[in-house]
Amino acid sequence: SSPWRWYVVQSRQVLDYYYEYTECDSTGSRWRVAIPQSPGACTGLPEPVRGTECTFSCKAGEFLEMSAQECTQCAAGSYSLGSGIRFDQWDSMPAGFSSLATSLENGPHGADRIACNSSSWVPQGNYLESNRDECTVSLIYAVHLKKQGFVSFEYQYLDNNLLFEFFIQNDQCQEMDQFADAKWLKLTNHGEWATHTVNLKSGTNILYWRTGGVLMGTKVVKPVLLKNIQIEGVAYTSECFPCKPGMFSRAPGSSMCEPCPRDTYSGHGASSCTPCNTTSQYAAEASAVCKDRPPCSKKDYFQIHTACDHEGKTQVIYKWIEPKICLEGVPGAETFPPSGEREPCPPCNPGFYNNDMATCSPCPPGTFSDGMKPCKQCPAGTEPTLGYEFKWWNILPANMKTSCFNVGNSKCDSMNGWEMAGDHIQSGAGSSDNDYLILNIHIPGFKLPTSVSSRSGTEFGRITFEFETLCTADCELYFMMDVNRKSTTVVESWERTKARQSYMHIMTKNASVSYTWAFQRTNQPSDVRHYVNDVARIYSISVSNAVDGVSSGCRACALSTQPSSSTCVPCPPGHYIDTHTSQCTECPRNTRLVSHTSPGPEACRPCGPGSRSDKDHSLCYSDCHFTHTSGNVTLTFDFSLLGSVGTLMNGPSFTSKGTKYFHQFNISLCGGQQLAVCTDNVTDLSITDTQTEKGEGANSVKSFICQSTVIPASGRGFHTALSSQSINLANTFLGATVENTLDGIRARPELYPWTSKKVPDINFYYRSLEATSSCESGRSAVVTLRCDPEKSTKGELAVPSQCPAATCDGCTFHFLWESSGACPTCTEKDYHQIEGVCKGGHQDLLYVWTEPKLCMGGVTLPEKKTLPCEGMELWVRLGAGLGAFTAVLLVSLTCYFWKKNKRLEYKYSRLVMSANKECEMPGADSCAVMEGENEGDMEDEIVYTKPSLLGKLKAIASKKYENVQLNSSHSKALVWS
C-alpha cells in the first residue's frame, strides 16, 4: 500500500518481518499484518490485529509508528510531511524511481537504429538531469494514494529542441484525465526554476516525466532539470526522512529541513551545522563539506566605474567577487590592484541631462536632450520621440536589472551578473562557469508618435543592440523576450566568439515585454571558474516608442488645419506628413507606408510588380490576379482557385542519428485577407483555439510563409504528432513576375526542369525582415507557379529534389506549385469552330478547346449552333441527267461517223482502182458516178434542205472528210460540196 515499510527493530537486530496494512474493506476497516522478509517464511509471525481507521492520517512532522499504530514526532535531524513525501536529494536515484528509454526504430534503415540503453535521467546531487540525445526517455514513479492529493515539482526547461511532457496513468496503463496545459511543460527563463502542480486521484497513480525531440544540428542541447518532487495524499508515512547533507532540523517534529548557513556544513541526518575553519576553509550555503581556500587570482575580482561625484569625476575601482573564497598574501596569490585615477564622467545617455554633475536625470515630458546639453522644448510642428538609447554605462539604468542564476541551486550574488565598464556593459564572473548571467530591461508598452498612432498593421517599436563575445569555451549569448508575462522565448542566440555587430528586432503588436540577455560560459556542469575571462559585451541598446521612455530628439508631426495651430494631430491610416505643409497626405496608389522612416513622400514605398497595397497602405500583397504580355499575346491569370493557404509536408527526413521528422510549410499566396499560421502544439496548449487561429500564441507565427517541424507519433512514445520549432520565412511580399530575379533574390529555374514553354512560370517573391545569425538580410522565399492542366485546381506543392528541406543554403527557400489553377484565363483564342454536314436543310456549328488545353476559367465554350443550308440533291440529279444525255449523244455520233467513214473509205478505194486502169478515163457524162451506185443515192447527197442542228453537224463532218480525202488522193479529182 505504501512505498515505505516499517521494519521491526529489537535489540538492534532487524527481524525477518515488517508491518503493512491490508486494503480497506467496505466498512472502512483494515488489518495490520506482518509480512516476512523472505517469501515463504510464514512461521513465527505475529497475529494480525485490527488497524487504524482508513481515514486516519498523521500531521506534518509526524510518522505512523506501526507497532503501536500511533503518530509519533520525527526526531531532530529528520522531517516528515505527514500525508506526503518529498524527494529533494539526487545523489542517486531514489527507490521507486526508474528511467526507461525507447529505442529510435523509425530510422531509414534498420541497421541505423540507435540503442538507447545508455540514455537515462541522471542524478546530479541537487537535481535530476534528462538525457541530451534524441532518445525518448521516461522517468517513472508509481504511488498509491489513500485520498485525493497532488504532485508538485520544480523544473528548468530551456531548449525547445527537446520536448518535455508530464502525464499520469492508472494501474491499467490508461492515461488519466488531464488538462492539455498540464501535460506539456512550458519553457522557463534561463537559470530560473518553475513549479508545476497536478491534482491526483486516490488509488494508484503512475507518474511519467518524458523527454524526446529532434536534434537537427551539431548544437548542444540543454537538458531538462528536475528537483523537489513532492506528493501529497498517501494518508500517512511510516518513517521520517533524514535531512540530506548540507541541511539540518534542530527540533523534533520538523516538517522540513533548513540549509546550513555559509561557512558551515552538515552530514546526513544532522540536527545542527558544524562551522568551518574560516581562516583556511570556506563553504557555500547548504554545503556538505568545507573546502580549502585557494590563493587569490585575477578570477576573484572585477572592476567597476564609480558613480559620478559632484565634481563630475569617476574612477575605476576593483571589488572582490562575493563571497570571497580566496586567500591573500600566500604564495602564488595575485595582488589586489589599486583603484584607477579619477577621470571625467562620460556624458549622460540621450534623453537624460546632468543637473548637479553627479547624476543623470530624465528630461521632463515634452523636452529632449542628446545627453550632453540641457533639455529643450521641441520646435513647433514637432513632437518628442519616446524611447531609450543607452550607450554610456557608468551606472545601471533604473529600468534594467542584472542577476546571476546558478543551474543547480538558486540565485547567485547579484554583483556577479553584468558589470558597468564605461562605454559598454559586460558579463560578470558568476559563481561558476555554467551560471547564467542575466541582463533584463522591461518595457511596459509602446506609444507611437501622435501622427502615426492610428495606423494599423504597422510596427510598434524596435530594439537594436550592438554586442560582441570573446570566448575560449562553448559560450553562448541568448536574446530572449517575454510578451505579457506568458513565457520567455529565445529570439536569437550566438555561440562562441562573435565579432562586434548589431542586431535588430521589431515588435509588431503593442504589449508589455521584457527583453533579456543571458550569457553562459559553458553548458557543462561546473563548480569552479575556469573561463572567467570569456566575456560578452554590449555597447549600446536602443528601444523606440517605449511608453515610459525619454526623448532624445524631435519628430515632425501633422498640424491641425486650424489657423496658427501648433497642435499635433493623428494622420489617418496610410497617410504621411508633408514636410512643406505639415498636413496629412495619403500615400499614392499601390504603395505601402514605412512608419520608421523620416516624414515625407519617401515614407511611401512602391509595391513590387504584380502586387497592390491594402486600403491602409500597411502592406503589399497579391490580389491573386496577374497579367503577362509577350509580343501581341496577353495572358491573364486568376490564382484564387488555388485556395487561401497551401500546405506542404515534405519528407520524411532523418537527423544524423536517425530520428524521423517532417517539415510542414504553410503558404499564403494571396495574403491580403488571410495569412498563414504555424503553431507549436507542445508549448502553446494553454492558448485558446481562437488565439491559435489568429497566431497570437507565444510560439505562434503568422506570416505569408511559415515552417513547423512535425514529429510523428509512431516510434517516439508520444500519443500524437507534435508540431514545434515554428519559424517565420516570409512576412513581406516583394512581387510576382515571370523574371528569375527580383530585389536580389534568384528563382533558380534549374531546380524545376520544364520542357513546355507555352505558358511561362510565375514567380512570387517574399522576404522576412527578421535577421538571423546565418542570414543577415533575413530569410527569403520564391514560390514558382506552373500551369499543369493534368493537376487539380488546388494542385500540388513540391520542393526541389536537390534541397529536400526547401532550401539549399538555409536562407532562400524554393517551392513549386503545379496546378491547373495556375493556367491563364481562357479567351476566344483558346477554342475553334467545327462545321457539320448539311442534312435536311440544316447544318451544325460546334466549338471545341484547342488541345492541349492550357487555360482555366474565363470564357466558356459557345453553345452549338444550327444554321439553314441549301440541299445538293437537285443539282446532283440534274447533273446526272445531263451526263447521261451527253453520253448517249456521243455514242450516237460516234456510230454515225464510223458508218460514214466506212462509206467514204469505200468510195475512195473505188476511185483509186479506176484511176490505176491504163488509158481509161471516166466518162464526162457520168459525173464520176461509179458503177454500182444508184442515182437515188447521189440525189440524196446533193439535195439541199434547211439543215437541223443534227444536219448541220453531219454536213460539217461530211464536207471536211471529203475535202481531205479527195485532195489527198488526186489533185484533179472532182470535188463537190
Side-chain angles (χ1 to χ4, degrees), residues 107-144:
H109 306 290
D112 296 336
R113 295 176 182 174
I114 304 175
C116 293
N117 295 334
S118 60
S119 299
S120 65
W121 288 76
V122 180
Q124 295 286 3
N126 293 323
Y127 57 89
L128 199 61
E129 182 181 280
S130 75
N131 59 308
R132 298 171 181 251
D133 54 28
E134 297 178 1
C135 297
T136 300
V137 183
S138 299
L139 178 68
I140 306 173
Y141 183 75
V143 62
H144 188 84

Side-chain angles (χ1 to χ4, degrees), residues 222-299:
K222 299 187 182 303
V224 176
L225 307 183
L226 192 64
K227 70 175 183 178
N228 292 340
I229 300 176
Q230 181 172 331
I231 301 173
E232 288 284 348
V234 297
Y236 68 90
T237 177
S238 55
E239 62 179 340
C240 295
F241 299 95
C243 295
K244 66 178 183 178
M247 309 288 287
F248 76 101
S249 63
R250 61 167 54 93
S254 298
S255 60
M256 60 181 300
C257 297
E258 303 176 39
C260 287
R262 185 172 294 165
D263 292 332
T264 64
Y265 73 97
S266 69
H268 189 78
S271 59
S272 62
C273 297
T274 304
C276 298
N277 182 4
T278 55
T279 58
S280 61
Q281 293 179 321
Y282 75 98
E285 187 179 0
S287 294
V289 294
C290 294
K291 298 180 180 179
D292 293 333
R293 295 181 180 271
C296 291
S297 66
K298 293 181 179 179
K299 302 176 182 179

Side-chain angles (χ1 to χ4, degrees), residues 29 142 215 235 285 288 349 381 509 557 608 651 657 742 818 829 915 955:
S29 301
L215 313 183
E285 187 179 0
N349 284 307
K509 59 183 177 181
C557 68
K657 292 188 176 182
L742 180 66
E818 295 178 293
K829 297 180 181 179

Side-chain angles (χ1 to χ4, degrees), residues 855-871:
C855 65
M856 177 64 65
V859 300
T860 58
L861 285 176
E863 297 290 337
K864 180 179 70 173
K865 296 181 180 179
T866 301
L867 302 176
C869 62
E870 296 182 1

Side-chain angles (χ1 to χ4, degrees), residues 698-913:
N699 294 298
S700 294
V701 174
K702 185 176 182 180
S703 62
F704 285 100
I705 305 176
C706 59
Q707 170 194 306
S708 296
T709 300
V710 177
I711 306 167
S714 60
R716 299 298 299 157
F718 298 108
H719 304 285
T720 183
L722 304 178
S723 174
S724 65
Q725 303 176 22
S726 297
I727 59 175
N728 170 28
L729 300 183
N731 54 17
T732 302
F733 177 60
L734 300 179
T737 175
V738 298
E739 302 297 330
N740 292 328
T741 57
L742 180 66
D743 198 21
I745 305 173
R746 183 168 175 265
R748 297 189 64 184
E750 69 274 7
L751 296 176
Y752 309 108
W754 184 242
T755 56
S756 175
K757 293 298 182 183
K758 294 182 180 179
V759 178
D761 292 342
I762 293 127
N763 300 314
F764 278 61
Y765 292 87
Y766 301 88
R767 174 168 282 142
S768 172
L769 299 179
E770 298 175 1
T772 66
S773 57
S774 57
C775 308
E776 295 182 358
S777 300
R779 299 182 180 96
S780 58
V782 182
V783 180
T784 300
L785 300 184
R786 177 170 294 172
C787 170
D788 189 342
E790 298 181 357
K791 304 286 187 182
S792 65
T793 53
K794 294 288 185 181
E796 297 178 1
L797 273 166
V799 296
S801 57
Q802 300 94 318
C803 312
T807 177
C808 300
D809 58 5
C811 293
T812 303
F813 291 75
H814 300 271
F815 304 92
L816 175 66
W817 200 335
E818 295 178 293
S819 166
S820 58
C823 296
T825 304
C826 295
T827 64
E828 290 80 359
K829 297 180 181 179
D830 294 306
Y831 63 83
H832 61 275
Q833 174 183 296
I834 297 179
E835 296 181 355
V837 298
C838 185
K839 186 177 181 180
H842 297 280
Q843 183 183 27
D844 292 336
L845 296 181
L846 301 176
Y847 298 89
V848 296
W849 295 110
T850 303
E851 294 296 335
K853 182 187 176 185
L854 298 175
C855 65
M856 177 64 65
V859 300
T860 58
L861 285 176
E863 297 290 337
K864 180 179 70 173
K865 296 181 180 179
T866 301
L867 302 176
C869 62
E870 296 182 1
M872 301 298 291
E873 297 178 358
L874 176 63
W875 294 103
V876 170
R877 289 196 297 267
L878 180 60
L882 290 175
F885 174 76
T886 303
V888 172
L889 178 61
L890 290 175
V891 171
S892 301
L893 289 175
T894 302
C895 294
Y896 171 77
F897 288 138
W898 178 81
K899 184 177 179 181
K900 186 71 174 179
N901 187 57
K902 285 296 186 181
R903 290 180 180 179
L904 289 176
E905 185 179 356
Y906 172 74
K907 292 178 181 180
Y908 177 75
S909 62
R910 291 287 301 272
L911 285 174
V912 172
M913 290 176 62

